[in-house]
Structure formats: structure tokens, C-alpha cells
Amino acid sequence: MRLRAKIKKIGSPRQIDTNFMVQSVIVETDEKEPQIFEIEFYNEKIKLLKSFSKGQEVLFHIKLKGKEWISPDHKAIYLVNFLAWRAEAINGQRKKVRPKSKSKRHI
């Protein structure tokens, strides 16, 4: 799924535990009735945000992640997160993180 939007705010990275970091960006769509979303970047994808700034228009490639949470009073609450896996500047400059190869060289 793709979402074209302007960056309103880039949050600071947060260390959730030893193996998990998250950084959020708040974006606004350019529609008759603009929509505001929070998009999350996890771990190695956080470096995608380094090349973007507030006010910049970006094409975000996202996937939706949903889950059910049961509150202390036993009511089901459904949560949805927008998780980015790629981001491109609208001017055509592509920003993509490629995973590092884990192969070992043998000499």
C-alpha cells in the first residue's frame, strides 16, 4: 500500500527494548478533507527518515498491522499501526534500505 503525504513532524527514535527501536512521523494527505496519520519505522528502517524533513512531500510504502487488546475491564479494543518499509521523495529520488548480506567469505 502507498500513501502520498507531507511530513508534519518527525519524532525522536525510541528504544523499546534491546532489540527493538521505533521512530514515528506524523503526515498529512493533500485531499479535499486532509487526513493525518502516524507512520512508524522500525529498527533498520529508521535510517530512511534521515534524508527527509518537515514539510517535505513523500511517497510512503506501508503495511497495516492490526491487533486486538483486551482492556482491564475486559473490553476488546482494536489497534492499527501504519508500518513503513520504504519511503521516496516525490521529486523522484528513491530512498530504500537494503538488508546487509549475512554470507561469510571463505579464504
Side-chain angles (χ1 to χ4, degrees):
M1 177 180 289
R2 295 182 195 159
L3 176 66
R4 183 178 179 151
K6 186 179 286 188
I7 296 173
K8 290 182 60 105
K9 179 182 176 184
I10 299 175
S12 298
R14 298 183 317 266
Q15 187 79 40
I16 305 301
D17 63 32
T18 56
N19 297 317
F20 185 67
M21 285 186 68
V22 64
Q23 186 171 1
S24 297
V25 61
I26 307 300
V27 301
E28 184 173 20
T29 62
D30 183 22
E31 301 172 321
K32 184 177 178 182
E33 295 181 28
Q35 303 296 308
I36 298 174
F37 298 97
E38 177 182 40
I39 299 175
E40 294 179 330
F41 292 76
Y42 295 163
N43 297 327
E44 76 277 354
K45 300 298 183 183
I46 289 173
K47 64 178 127 181
L48 289 171
L49 288 173
K50 292 183 189 231
S51 58
F52 299 112
S53 58
K54 182 179 176 181
Q56 191 170 3
E57 195 168 6
V58 178
L59 179 64
F60 296 95
H61 296 254
I62 60 174
K63 61 181 173 180
L64 300 177
K65 293 190 76 169
K67 65 181 175 180
E68 179 183 60
W69 177 72
I70 306 299
S71 69
D73 60 348
H74 306 289
K75 291 185 180 177
I77 296 173
Y78 299 94
L79 306 170
V80 177
N81 293 65
F82 293 81
L83 174 62
W85 56 273
R86 185 173 173 180
E88 299 175 42
I90 294 300
N91 66 9
Q93 184 181 2
R94 185 173 286 186
K95 301 295 178 191
K96 183 177 179 179
V97 170
R98 292 194 173 127
K100 293 181 182 178
S101 174
K102 293 189 178 191
S103 64
K104 294 182 180 179
R105 288 185 178 175
H106 296 285
I107 299 177

